[in-house]
Amino acid sequence: MPMSRRALLGTAAATALPILPARAQKPTLKIGVLTDLSGPYKDVAGPGAIESTRQAAEDSGLKAKGIEVEILGADHQNKADVGASVARQWFDRDGVDVILEGTNSGEALAVASVAREKNKVFLNSGAATSDLTGTQCNANTIHWVYDTYMLAHSTGGAMVKAGGDSWFFIVADYAFGHALERDTTEFVQQAGGKVLGAVRYPFPSTTDFSSFLLQAQSSGAKVLGLASTGTDGINLIKQAHEFGIPMRIAGLLVFLTDVHSIGLEVAQGLALTASYYWDLNPGTRRFADKFTKRQPGRRPTMVQAGVYSSGLHYLKVAAEMGVAQAKADGAATVARMKATPTDDDCFGRGSIRIDGRKLCPSYLFEVKKPSESRGPWDYYKLLATTPADQAFRPLAAGGCPLVKG
Amino acid sequence: MIMIFGKPLLLLYGQLTLGLINGAFYALLSLGLAVIFGLLNIINFAHGALFMLGAYVAWALLEYLDIGYWPALVLAPLIVGVFGVVLEKTLIQRLYKLDHLYGLLLTFGCALIIEGLARNEFGSSGMPYAIPEALRGPLDLGFMMLPAYRAWVVVAAAGMCLLTWLVIEKTRLGSTLRAATENAKLVQAFGVNVPRLITLTYGAGAALAAFAGVLAAPIYSVNPGMGSNFIISVFAVVVIGGMGSILGSIITGFGLGILEGLTKVYYPEASATVIFVVMVIVLLARPAGLFGKA
């Protein structure tokens, strides 16, 4: 029985302790959660991500094995330089071993390179850029929940199959929006659909989208693809409803908290992609209930679930290989994490590819009608599932230097 | 189909109408700024935060007290107006003798604090606020289907602008206010309580911002950042119209809304910057603004 073996190990560790001086520290793993605590992604990740990490530490059972887990939190303010300098300070001065989360793509790429430089570990859940496991991949970084390729593939491909064969895009005019537009266009065309046009709006200073919505409508396309996120996405969906735009709306990156903020009356019928939804299966519900105990009145987003899952896997692997070794060599820890299958309540069984891509299925959801919803946070119904081995960009296509060797 | 510069005329009509609606928000917000600057000489950077507060008060009235949109349209400006009075009494009043810069810094700080508190309390993704029942249907204008609520926004904003202009230009209260700006000591010598007048003016400016906030709540996401998205453009509107010019800010507000709407059709990428391009040109040609007194 695994429990008794764990208990045995615990006893072994405990008997070893008295040899050390009485005030010596227990072996300690330090986790830093670098997230958005004050900006637009605070609800998507933020304090909920720190709570998810605490839950992971609790569920890892390391305390019983005599290993302490210490958790720090900091705000990256969605600025790459702030993120990188916090990461440096944590690694150099505060003895942090692993950084979790990192909602912003620019900030995530910066932190990933600091982690490589210091030979520590960076497990990203919140950033969208597929470059983290592509040209800019490194041996110290794993990308957990989703990326632009996976979103475009699921939403773009599956929508065409469901009859939405002509598209118009409204695009946030910066790297993230362009990447989503480009990738989705490719999948729409591959599936036999066509793209009738696109309009790029200035980011982040646009609040009124009615003009772009009318241009979309006059294109005659069946599907309106929203290559934007956060408040812009919310405003777009609200205003499309207000103007009665008769198009199927595909949100390329919409989080559960966004739908909560829009309300079902307006959001109903919206198609979106996620790799975690709290009400998918008994495991996802189990984690969601734990989360709600820590954050009353809220359900976890896929990013918060990813923070839990990645933190749990790290702690499991670090304990297996020995705390001292895990602390000393970040790249070796990541290599071991890749070699060990993942298994947790949120994403089920899965694996991590050589380029640092965590594989999991992606789900195409549709937002329920108010009449279909049984209560608060009961928002999604499943339309289609893309299996884990097809959900992400093929290994060879990413251009990750780790793959060649 | 009739085309103008490669765009169908009907689409263009639609865009002009939408520009007018955005212009209504610009006019309403810049009006409050112009009143406060004209009479108090304070560059009120907290205006965006007060706009956001207006929307949040409307949301809170509905959520906690079940008070709907129409009463909120009156109540929220009153509540935020009182908040403005308190702000003026406790903080801003101390800065009248100092340089403009201090007032700007203080109100900017207040804006950051108010936004931060709102984000802490209500989260960053915003709150839903439904369009009132009576204004849900679309209006058929022939060239476009205009949501009735948007039409109401233009009417309400234009009405409020007209009312404010009449009060300041055509009433006894307005003339006292204007006199107090010209020479506070003399007006005080006539027995007018000038400090109270100024406090109430700031409160009225705050109420105007909140009124715009309530109007915006059903169409934009009610979120802590909604004011700061607007405020920079609104400052440009005030500068173009002429700092402190009431009529200037109203006309410029509507005009720039329309210009922005056209940019969204012909070159959407520039729609956020076109206002600032105009600002640069106006500042070079007429430093006091289009309607300002040099």
Side-chain angles (χ1 to χ4, degrees), chain A residues 38-39 42-43 208 211 215 231 235 238 242 261, chain B residues 15 119 124-126 128 150 219-221 223 264 269:
Chain A
S38 61
K42 179 177 169 249
D43 289 355
D208 186 69
S211 167
Q215 293 180 44
T231 314
N235 272 334
K238 267 184 108 163
E242 187 199 353
S261 155
Chain B
Q15 299 297 346
R119 189 164 281 141
S124 56
S125 48
R150 298 257 172 168
I219 41 182
Y220 303 130
S221 158
N223 73 70
K264 281 178 178 169
E269 286 89 338

mmCIF file with all atom_site columns, all heavy atoms in Angstrom, chain A residues 38-39 42-43 208 211 215 231 235 238 242 261, chain B residues 15 119 124-126 128 150 219-221 223 264 269:
data_model
loop_
_atom_site.group_PDB
_atom_site.id
_atom_site.type_symbol
_atom_site.label_atom_id
_atom_site.label_alt_id
_atom_site.label_comp_id
_atom_site.label_asym_id
_atom_site.label_entity_id
_atom_site.label_seq_id
_atom_site.pdbx_PDB_ins_code
_atom_site.Cartn_x
_atom_site.Cartn_y
_atom_site.Cartn_z
_atom_site.occupancy
_atom_site.B_iso_or_equiv
_atom_site.pdbx_formal_charge
_atom_site.auth_seq_id
_atom_site.auth_comp_id
_atom_site.auth_asym_id
_atom_site.auth_atom_id
_atom_site.pdbx_PDB_model_num
ATOM 1   N N   . SER A 1 38  ? -2.694  42.993 -9.567  1.00 0.00 ? 38  SER A N   1
ATOM 2   C CA  . SER A 1 38  ? -3.355  44.299 -9.552  1.00 0.00 ? 38  SER A CA  1
ATOM 3   C C   . SER A 1 38  ? -3.895  44.718 -10.921 1.00 0.00 ? 38  SER A C   1
ATOM 4   O O   . SER A 1 38  ? -4.454  45.782 -11.047 1.00 0.00 ? 38  SER A O   1
ATOM 5   C CB  . SER A 1 38  ? -2.365  45.366 -9.073  1.00 0.00 ? 38  SER A CB  1
ATOM 6   O OG  . SER A 1 38  ? -1.272  45.414 -9.963  1.00 0.00 ? 38  SER A OG  1
ATOM 7   N N   . GLY A 1 39  ? -3.706  43.913 -11.932 1.00 0.00 ? 39  GLY A N   1
ATOM 8   C CA  . GLY A 1 39  ? -4.076  44.350 -13.278 1.00 0.00 ? 39  GLY A CA  1
ATOM 9   C C   . GLY A 1 39  ? -5.185  43.531 -13.898 1.00 0.00 ? 39  GLY A C   1
ATOM 10  O O   . GLY A 1 39  ? -5.973  42.900 -13.183 1.00 0.00 ? 39  GLY A O   1
ATOM 11  N N   . LYS A 1 42  ? -5.958  39.710 -12.904 1.00 0.00 ? 42  LYS A N   1
ATOM 12  C CA  . LYS A 1 42  ? -6.014  39.380 -11.480 1.00 0.00 ? 42  LYS A CA  1
ATOM 13  C C   . LYS A 1 42  ? -7.051  38.287 -11.202 1.00 0.00 ? 42  LYS A C   1
ATOM 14  O O   . LYS A 1 42  ? -6.819  37.408 -10.379 1.00 0.00 ? 42  LYS A O   1
ATOM 15  C CB  . LYS A 1 42  ? -6.365  40.638 -10.694 1.00 0.00 ? 42  LYS A CB  1
ATOM 16  C CG  . LYS A 1 42  ? -6.471  40.431 -9.216  1.00 0.00 ? 42  LYS A CG  1
ATOM 17  C CD  . LYS A 1 42  ? -6.752  41.741 -8.498  1.00 0.00 ? 42  LYS A CD  1
ATOM 18  C CE  . LYS A 1 42  ? -7.111  41.448 -7.061  1.00 0.00 ? 42  LYS A CE  1
ATOM 19  N NZ  . LYS A 1 42  ? -8.506  41.722 -6.742  1.00 0.00 ? 42  LYS A NZ  1
ATOM 20  N N   . ASP A 1 43  ? -8.184  38.335 -11.894 1.00 0.00 ? 43  ASP A N   1
ATOM 21  C CA  . ASP A 1 43  ? -9.224  37.333 -11.644 1.00 0.00 ? 43  ASP A CA  1
ATOM 22  C C   . ASP A 1 43  ? -8.904  36.000 -12.301 1.00 0.00 ? 43  ASP A C   1
ATOM 23  O O   . ASP A 1 43  ? -9.276  34.941 -11.808 1.00 0.00 ? 43  ASP A O   1
ATOM 24  C CB  . ASP A 1 43  ? -10.574 37.829 -12.164 1.00 0.00 ? 43  ASP A CB  1
ATOM 25  C CG  . ASP A 1 43  ? -11.115 38.961 -11.317 1.00 0.00 ? 43  ASP A CG  1
ATOM 26  O OD1 . ASP A 1 43  ? -10.479 39.281 -10.294 1.00 0.00 ? 43  ASP A OD1 1
ATOM 27  O OD2 . ASP A 1 43  ? -12.162 39.518 -11.674 1.00 0.00 ? 43  ASP A OD2 1
ATOM 28  N N   . ASP A 1 208 ? -14.769 51.254 -27.447 1.00 0.00 ? 208 ASP A N   1
ATOM 29  C CA  . ASP A 1 208 ? -15.984 51.100 -28.226 1.00 0.00 ? 208 ASP A CA  1
ATOM 30  C C   . ASP A 1 208 ? -15.690 50.333 -29.511 1.00 0.00 ? 208 ASP A C   1
ATOM 31  O O   . ASP A 1 208 ? -14.876 50.753 -30.325 1.00 0.00 ? 208 ASP A O   1
ATOM 32  C CB  . ASP A 1 208 ? -16.573 52.467 -28.576 1.00 0.00 ? 208 ASP A CB  1
ATOM 33  C CG  . ASP A 1 208 ? -17.912 52.283 -29.253 1.00 0.00 ? 208 ASP A CG  1
ATOM 34  O OD1 . ASP A 1 208 ? -18.854 51.852 -28.569 1.00 0.00 ? 208 ASP A OD1 1
ATOM 35  O OD2 . ASP A 1 208 ? -18.008 52.491 -30.475 1.00 0.00 ? 208 ASP A OD2 1
ATOM 36  N N   . SER A 1 211 ? -18.081 50.114 -34.184 1.00 0.00 ? 211 SER A N   1
ATOM 37  C CA  . SER A 1 211 ? -17.680 50.365 -35.560 1.00 0.00 ? 211 SER A CA  1
ATOM 38  C C   . SER A 1 211 ? -17.104 49.102 -36.209 1.00 0.00 ? 211 SER A C   1
ATOM 39  O O   . SER A 1 211 ? -17.454 48.753 -37.339 1.00 0.00 ? 211 SER A O   1
ATOM 40  C CB  . SER A 1 211 ? -16.641 51.478 -35.534 1.00 0.00 ? 211 SER A CB  1
ATOM 41  O OG  . SER A 1 211 ? -16.004 51.567 -36.751 1.00 0.00 ? 211 SER A OG  1
ATOM 42  N N   . GLN A 1 215 ? -18.533 46.602 -39.341 1.00 0.00 ? 215 GLN A N   1
ATOM 43  C CA  . GLN A 1 215 ? -17.721 46.188 -40.488 1.00 0.00 ? 215 GLN A CA  1
ATOM 44  C C   . GLN A 1 215 ? -17.733 44.663 -40.620 1.00 0.00 ? 215 GLN A C   1
ATOM 45  O O   . GLN A 1 215 ? -17.801 44.125 -41.723 1.00 0.00 ? 215 GLN A O   1
ATOM 46  C CB  . GLN A 1 215 ? -16.273 46.675 -40.321 1.00 0.00 ? 215 GLN A CB  1
ATOM 47  C CG  . GLN A 1 215 ? -16.170 48.200 -40.384 1.00 0.00 ? 215 GLN A CG  1
ATOM 48  C CD  . GLN A 1 215 ? -14.729 48.676 -40.219 1.00 0.00 ? 215 GLN A CD  1
ATOM 49  O OE1 . GLN A 1 215 ? -13.808 48.135 -40.803 1.00 0.00 ? 215 GLN A OE1 1
ATOM 50  N NE2 . GLN A 1 215 ? -14.544 49.697 -39.408 1.00 0.00 ? 215 GLN A NE2 1
ATOM 51  N N   . THR A 1 231 ? -10.615 42.583 -20.879 1.00 0.00 ? 231 THR A N   1
ATOM 52  C CA  . THR A 1 231 ? -11.684 43.565 -20.948 1.00 0.00 ? 231 THR A CA  1
ATOM 53  C C   . THR A 1 231 ? -12.142 43.814 -22.382 1.00 0.00 ? 231 THR A C   1
ATOM 54  O O   . THR A 1 231 ? -13.323 44.014 -22.630 1.00 0.00 ? 231 THR A O   1
ATOM 55  C CB  . THR A 1 231 ? -11.194 44.901 -20.366 1.00 0.00 ? 231 THR A CB  1
ATOM 56  O OG1 . THR A 1 231 ? -10.522 44.624 -19.150 1.00 0.00 ? 231 THR A OG1 1
ATOM 57  C CG2 . THR A 1 231 ? -12.342 45.822 -20.097 1.00 0.00 ? 231 THR A CG2 1
ATOM 58  N N   . ASN A 1 235 ? -15.936 43.565 -23.645 1.00 0.00 ? 235 ASN A N   1
ATOM 59  C CA  . ASN A 1 235 ? -16.626 44.668 -24.314 1.00 0.00 ? 235 ASN A CA  1
ATOM 60  C C   . ASN A 1 235 ? -17.136 44.255 -25.685 1.00 0.00 ? 235 ASN A C   1
ATOM 61  O O   . ASN A 1 235 ? -18.250 44.605 -26.078 1.00 0.00 ? 235 ASN A O   1
ATOM 62  C CB  . ASN A 1 235 ? -15.676 45.864 -24.462 1.00 0.00 ? 235 ASN A CB  1
ATOM 63  C CG  . ASN A 1 235 ? -15.727 46.769 -23.247 1.00 0.00 ? 235 ASN A CG  1
ATOM 64  O OD1 . ASN A 1 235 ? -16.732 46.816 -22.546 1.00 0.00 ? 235 ASN A OD1 1
ATOM 65  N ND2 . ASN A 1 235 ? -14.654 47.472 -22.982 1.00 0.00 ? 235 ASN A ND2 1
ATOM 66  N N   . LYS A 1 238 ? -20.209 41.987 -25.278 1.00 0.00 ? 238 LYS A N   1
ATOM 67  C CA  . LYS A 1 238 ? -21.357 42.779 -24.824 1.00 0.00 ? 238 LYS A CA  1
ATOM 68  C C   . LYS A 1 238 ? -21.931 43.611 -25.971 1.00 0.00 ? 238 LYS A C   1
ATOM 69  O O   . LYS A 1 238 ? -23.138 43.681 -26.174 1.00 0.00 ? 238 LYS A O   1
ATOM 70  C CB  . LYS A 1 238 ? -20.908 43.757 -23.721 1.00 0.00 ? 238 LYS A CB  1
ATOM 71  C CG  . LYS A 1 238 ? -21.064 43.238 -22.317 1.00 0.00 ? 238 LYS A CG  1
ATOM 72  C CD  . LYS A 1 238 ? -20.679 44.315 -21.314 1.00 0.00 ? 238 LYS A CD  1
ATOM 73  C CE  . LYS A 1 238 ? -21.890 44.867 -20.596 1.00 0.00 ? 238 LYS A CE  1
ATOM 74  N NZ  . LYS A 1 238 ? -21.534 45.609 -19.359 1.00 0.00 ? 238 LYS A NZ  1
ATOM 75  N N   . GLU A 1 242 ? -25.474 43.755 -28.004 1.00 0.00 ? 242 GLU A N   1
ATOM 76  C CA  . GLU A 1 242 ? -26.280 44.983 -28.035 1.00 0.00 ? 242 GLU A CA  1
ATOM 77  C C   . GLU A 1 242 ? -26.713 45.310 -29.459 1.00 0.00 ? 242 GLU A C   1
ATOM 78  O O   . GLU A 1 242 ? -27.850 45.712 -29.690 1.00 0.00 ? 242 GLU A O   1
ATOM 79  C CB  . GLU A 1 242 ? -25.432 46.120 -27.454 1.00 0.00 ? 242 GLU A CB  1
ATOM 80  C CG  . GLU A 1 242 ? -26.192 47.422 -27.272 1.00 0.00 ? 242 GLU A CG  1
ATOM 81  C CD  . GLU A 1 242 ? -25.247 48.597 -27.148 1.00 0.00 ? 242 GLU A CD  1
ATOM 82  O OE1 . GLU A 1 242 ? -24.022 48.399 -27.077 1.00 0.00 ? 242 GLU A OE1 1
ATOM 83  O OE2 . GLU A 1 242 ? -25.758 49.730 -27.152 1.00 0.00 ? 242 GLU A OE2 1
ATOM 84  N N   . SER A 1 261 ? -18.345 37.515 -15.723 1.00 0.00 ? 261 SER A N   1
ATOM 85  C CA  . SER A 1 261 ? -18.502 38.966 -15.715 1.00 0.00 ? 261 SER A CA  1
ATOM 86  C C   . SER A 1 261 ? -19.518 39.444 -16.758 1.00 0.00 ? 261 SER A C   1
ATOM 87  O O   . SER A 1 261 ? -20.234 40.412 -16.530 1.00 0.00 ? 261 SER A O   1
ATOM 88  C CB  . SER A 1 261 ? -17.137 39.604 -15.964 1.00 0.00 ? 261 SER A CB  1
ATOM 89  O OG  . SER A 1 261 ? -17.282 40.878 -16.505 1.00 0.00 ? 261 SER A OG  1
ATOM 90  N N   . GLN B 2 15  ? -21.220 54.505 -39.423 1.00 0.00 ? 15  GLN B N   1
ATOM 91  C CA  . GLN B 2 15  ? -20.033 54.850 -38.648 1.00 0.00 ? 15  GLN B CA  1
ATOM 92  C C   . GLN B 2 15  ? -20.113 56.274 -38.108 1.00 0.00 ? 15  GLN B C   1
ATOM 93  O O   . GLN B 2 15  ? -19.647 56.557 -37.004 1.00 0.00 ? 15  GLN B O   1
ATOM 94  C CB  . GLN B 2 15  ? -18.776 54.695 -39.509 1.00 0.00 ? 15  GLN B CB  1
ATOM 95  C CG  . GLN B 2 15  ? -18.557 53.287 -40.016 1.00 0.00 ? 15  GLN B CG  1
ATOM 96  C CD  . GLN B 2 15  ? -18.325 52.295 -38.906 1.00 0.00 ? 15  GLN B CD  1
ATOM 97  O OE1 . GLN B 2 15  ? -18.065 52.665 -37.766 1.00 0.00 ? 15  GLN B OE1 1
ATOM 98  N NE2 . GLN B 2 15  ? -18.442 51.027 -39.212 1.00 0.00 ? 15  GLN B NE2 1
ATOM 99  N N   . ARG B 2 119 ? -10.402 47.682 -7.619  1.00 0.00 ? 119 ARG B N   1
ATOM 100 C CA  . ARG B 2 119 ? -9.880  46.417 -8.146  1.00 0.00 ? 119 ARG B CA  1
ATOM 101 C C   . ARG B 2 119 ? -9.762  45.384 -7.021  1.00 0.00 ? 119 ARG B C   1
ATOM 102 O O   . ARG B 2 119 ? -10.054 44.211 -7.199  1.00 0.00 ? 119 ARG B O   1
ATOM 103 C CB  . ARG B 2 119 ? -8.533  46.673 -8.798  1.00 0.00 ? 119 ARG B CB  1
ATOM 104 C CG  . ARG B 2 119 ? -8.009  45.503 -9.559  1.00 0.00 ? 119 ARG B CG  1
ATOM 105 C CD  . ARG B 2 119 ? -6.902  45.912 -10.497 1.00 0.00 ? 119 ARG B CD  1
ATOM 106 N NE  . ARG B 2 119 ? -7.427  46.524 -11.702 1.00 0.00 ? 119 ARG B NE  1
ATOM 107 C CZ  . ARG B 2 119 ? -6.882  47.567 -12.307 1.00 0.00 ? 119 ARG B CZ  1
ATOM 108 N NH1 . ARG B 2 119 ? -5.799  48.123 -11.817 1.00 0.00 ? 119 ARG B NH1 1
ATOM 109 N NH2 . ARG B 2 119 ? -7.410  48.055 -13.398 1.00 0.00 ? 119 ARG B NH2 1
ATOM 110 N N   . SER B 2 124 ? -10.869 42.363 -11.209 1.00 0.00 ? 124 SER B N   1
ATOM 111 C CA  . SER B 2 124 ? -10.460 43.094 -12.398 1.00 0.00 ? 124 SER B CA  1
ATOM 112 C C   . SER B 2 124 ? -11.337 42.827 -13.607 1.00 0.00 ? 124 SER B C   1
ATOM 113 O O   . SER B 2 124 ? -11.293 43.557 -14.582 1.00 0.00 ? 124 SER B O   1
ATOM 114 C CB  . SER B 2 124 ? -9.012  42.742 -12.741 1.00 0.00 ? 124 SER B CB  1
ATOM 115 O OG  . SER B 2 124 ? -8.897  41.344 -12.888 1.00 0.00 ? 124 SER B OG  1
ATOM 116 N N   . SER B 2 125 ? -12.151 41.756 -13.579 1.00 0.00 ? 125 SER B N   1
ATOM 117 C CA  . SER B 2 125 ? -12.841 41.426 -14.827 1.00 0.00 ? 125 SER B CA  1
ATOM 118 C C   . SER B 2 125 ? -14.177 42.147 -14.976 1.00 0.00 ? 125 SER B C   1
ATOM 119 O O   . SER B 2 125 ? -14.811 42.063 -16.022 1.00 0.00 ? 125 SER B O   1
ATOM 120 C CB  . SER B 2 125 ? -13.014 39.921 -14.977 1.00 0.00 ? 125 SER B CB  1
ATOM 121 O OG  . SER B 2 125 ? -13.506 39.364 -13.812 1.00 0.00 ? 125 SER B OG  1
ATOM 122 N N   . GLY B 2 126 ? -14.599 42.867 -13.965 1.00 0.00 ? 126 GLY B N   1
ATOM 123 C CA  . GLY B 2 126 ? -15.766 43.711 -14.150 1.00 0.00 ? 126 GLY B CA  1
ATOM 124 C C   . GLY B 2 126 ? -17.084 43.044 -13.787 1.00 0.00 ? 126 GLY B C   1
ATOM 125 O O   . GLY B 2 126 ? -17.143 41.859 -13.493 1.00 0.00 ? 126 GLY B O   1
ATOM 126 N N   . PRO B 2 128 ? -21.416 42.634 -14.608 1.00 0.00 ? 128 PRO B N   1
ATOM 127 C CA  . PRO B 2 128 ? -22.433 42.791 -15.651 1.00 0.00 ? 128 PRO B CA  1
ATOM 128 C C   . PRO B 2 128 ? -23.459 43.851 -15.253 1.00 0.00 ? 128 PRO B C   1
ATOM 129 O O   . PRO B 2 128 ? -23.772 44.000 -14.071 1.00 0.00 ? 128 PRO B O   1
ATOM 130 C CB  . PRO B 2 128 ? -23.087 41.406 -15.712 1.00 0.00 ? 128 PRO B CB  1
ATOM 131 C CG  . PRO B 2 128 ? -22.798 40.764 -14.403 1.00 0.00 ? 128 PRO B CG  1
ATOM 132 C CD  . PRO B 2 128 ? -21.605 41.440 -13.802 1.00 0.00 ? 128 PRO B CD  1
ATOM 133 N N   . ARG B 2 150 ? -28.302 53.262 -27.458 1.00 0.00 ? 150 ARG B N   1
ATOM 134 C CA  . ARG B 2 150 ? -27.273 54.195 -27.950 1.00 0.00 ? 150 ARG B CA  1
ATOM 135 C C   . ARG B 2 150 ? -27.902 55.542 -28.320 1.00 0.00 ? 150 ARG B C   1
ATOM 136 O O   . ARG B 2 150 ? -27.305 56.590 -28.106 1.00 0.00 ? 150 ARG B O   1
ATOM 137 C CB  . ARG B 2 150 ? -26.568 53.609 -29.158 1.00 0.00 ? 150 ARG B CB  1
ATOM 138 C CG  . ARG B 2 150 ? -25.842 52.337 -28.873 1.00 0.00 ? 150 ARG B CG  1
ATOM 139 C CD  . ARG B 2 150 ? -24.370 52.552 -28.755 1.00 0.00 ? 150 ARG B CD  1
ATOM 140 N NE  . ARG B 2 150 ? -23.713 51.343 -28.283 1.00 0.00 ? 150 ARG B NE  1
ATOM 141 C CZ  . ARG B 2 150 ? -22.406 51.157 -28.296 1.00 0.00 ? 150 ARG B CZ  1
ATOM 142 N NH1 . ARG B 2 150 ? -21.612 52.087 -28.736 1.00 0.00 ? 150 ARG B NH1 1
ATOM 143 N NH2 . ARG B 2 150 ? -21.899 50.044 -27.839 1.00 0.00 ? 150 ARG B NH2 1
ATOM 144 N N   . ILE B 2 219 ? -23.174 49.533 -21.670 1.00 0.00 ? 219 ILE B N   1
ATOM 145 C CA  . ILE B 2 219 ? -22.524 49.179 -22.941 1.00 0.00 ? 219 ILE B CA  1
ATOM 146 C C   . ILE B 2 219 ? -21.057 48.818 -22.791 1.00 0.00 ? 219 ILE B C   1
ATOM 147 O O   . ILE B 2 219 ? -20.523 48.070 -23.570 1.00 0.00 ? 219 ILE B O   1
ATOM 148 C CB  . ILE B 2 219 ? -22.702 50.255 -24.036 1.00 0.00 ? 219 ILE B CB  1
ATOM 149 C CG1 . ILE B 2 219 ? -22.542 51.649 -23.474 1.00 0.00 ? 219 ILE B CG1 1
ATOM 150 C CG2 . ILE B 2 219 ? -23.997 50.083 -24.741 1.00 0.00 ? 219 ILE B CG2 1
ATOM 151 C CD1 . ILE B 2 219 ? -22.760 52.723 -24.543 1.00 0.00 ? 219 ILE B CD1 1
ATOM 152 N N   . TYR B 2 220 ? -20.379 49.371 -21.792 1.00 0.00 ? 220 TYR B N   1
ATOM 153 C CA  . TYR B 2 220 ? -19.001 48.977 -21.565 1.00 0.00 ? 220 TYR B CA  1
ATOM 154 C C   . TYR B 2 220 ? -18.970 48.093 -20.333 1.00 0.00 ? 220 TYR B C   1
ATOM 155 O O   . TYR B 2 220 ? -19.870 48.109 -19.527 1.00 0.00 ? 220 TYR B O   1
ATOM 156 C CB  . TYR B 2 220 ? -18.104 50.202 -21.365 1.00 0.00 ? 220 TYR B CB  1
ATOM 157 C CG  . TYR B 2 220 ? -18.148 51.158 -22.514 1.00 0.00 ? 220 TYR B CG  1
ATOM 158 C CD1 . TYR B 2 220 ? -18.369 52.509 -22.318 1.00 0.00 ? 220 TYR B CD1 1
ATOM 159 C CD2 . TYR B 2 220 ? -17.984 50.690 -23.817 1.00 0.00 ? 220 TYR B CD2 1
ATOM 160 C CE1 . TYR B 2 220 ? -18.423 53.387 -23.391 1.00 0.00 ? 220 TYR B CE1 1
ATOM 161 C CE2 . TYR B 2 220 ? -18.039 51.566 -24.885 1.00 0.00 ? 220 TYR B CE2 1
ATOM 162 C CZ  . TYR B 2 220 ? -18.261 52.905 -24.674 1.00 0.00 ? 220 TYR B CZ  1
ATOM 163 O OH  . TYR B 2 220 ? -18.319 53.763 -25.732 1.00 0.00 ? 220 TYR B OH  1
ATOM 164 N N   . SER B 2 221 ? -17.908 47.345 -20.216 1.00 0.00 ? 221 SER B N   1
ATOM 165 C CA  . SER B 2 221 ? -17.756 46.525 -19.029 1.00 0.00 ? 221 SER B CA  1
ATOM 166 C C   . SER B 2 221 ? -17.556 47.446 -17.818 1.00 0.00 ? 221 SER B C   1
ATOM 167 O O   . SER B 2 221 ? -16.778 48.387 -17.880 1.00 0.00 ? 221 SER B O   1
ATOM 168 C CB  . SER B 2 221 ? -16.549 45.616 -19.230 1.00 0.00 ? 221 SER B CB  1
ATOM 169 O OG  . SER B 2 221 ? -16.057 45.180 -18.016 1.00 0.00 ? 221 SER B OG  1
ATOM 170 N N   . ASN B 2 223 ? -15.718 48.017 -15.130 1.00 0.00 ? 223 ASN B N   1
ATOM 171 C CA  . ASN B 2 223 ? -14.490 47.518 -14.515 1.00 0.00 ? 223 ASN B CA  1
ATOM 172 C C   . ASN B 2 223 ? -13.626 48.673 -14.038 1.00 0.00 ? 223 ASN B C   1
ATOM 173 O O   . ASN B 2 223 ? -13.808 49.805 -14.464 1.00 0.00 ? 223 ASN B O   1
ATOM 174 C CB  . ASN B 2 223 ? -13.745 46.593 -15.488 1.00 0.00 ? 223 ASN B CB  1
ATOM 175 C CG  . ASN B 2 223 ? -13.099 47.355 -16.607 1.00 0.00 ? 223 ASN B CG  1
ATOM 176 O OD1 . ASN B 2 223 ? -12.126 48.083 -16.400 1.00 0.00 ? 223 ASN B OD1 1
ATOM 177 N ND2 . ASN B 2 223 ? -13.638 47.237 -17.804 1.00 0.00 ? 223 ASN B ND2 1
ATOM 178 N N   . LYS B 2 264 ? -11.922 54.768 -37.965 1.00 0.00 ? 264 LYS B N   1
ATOM 179 C CA  . LYS B 2 264 ? -12.133 53.342 -37.739 1.00 0.00 ? 264 LYS B CA  1
ATOM 180 C C   . LYS B 2 264 ? -12.506 52.611 -39.025 1.00 0.00 ? 264 LYS B C   1
ATOM 181 O O   . LYS B 2 264 ? -12.325 51.411 -39.126 1.00 0.00 ? 264 LYS B O   1
ATOM 182 C CB  . LYS B 2 264 ? -13.202 53.119 -36.674 1.00 0.00 ? 264 LYS B CB  1
ATOM 183 C CG  . LYS B 2 264 ? -12.668 53.319 -35.272 1.00 0.00 ? 264 LYS B CG  1
ATOM 184 C CD  . LYS B 2 264 ? -13.736 53.137 -34.223 1.00 0.00 ? 264 LYS B CD  1
ATOM 185 C CE  . LYS B 2 264 ? -13.143 53.291 -32.838 1.00 0.00 ? 264 LYS B CE  1
ATOM 186 N NZ  . LYS B 2 264 ? -14.171 53.385 -31.805 1.00 0.00 ? 264 LYS B NZ  1
ATOM 187 N N   . GLU B 2 269 ? -6.179  51.029 -37.466 1.00 0.00 ? 269 GLU B N   1
ATOM 188 C CA  . GLU B 2 269 ? -5.013  50.985 -36.587 1.00 0.00 ? 269 GLU B CA  1
ATOM 189 C C   . GLU B 2 269 ? -4.721  52.351 -35.977 1.00 0.00 ? 269 GLU B C   1
ATOM 190 O O   . GLU B 2 269 ? -4.119  52.446 -34.908 1.00 0.00 ? 269 GLU B O   1
ATOM 191 C CB  . GLU B 2 269 ? -3.780  50.486 -37.353 1.00 0.00 ? 269 GLU B CB  1
ATOM 192 C CG  . GLU B 2 269 ? -3.775  48.994 -37.646 1.00 0.00 ? 269 GLU B CG  1
ATOM 193 C CD  . GLU B 2 269 ? -4.444  48.651 -38.969 1.00 0.00 ? 269 GLU B CD  1
ATOM 194 O OE1 . GLU B 2 269 ? -5.262  49.476 -39.458 1.00 0.00 ? 269 GLU B OE1 1
ATOM 195 O OE2 . GLU B 2 269 ? -4.161  47.571 -39.516 1.00 0.00 ? 269 GLU B OE2 1
#
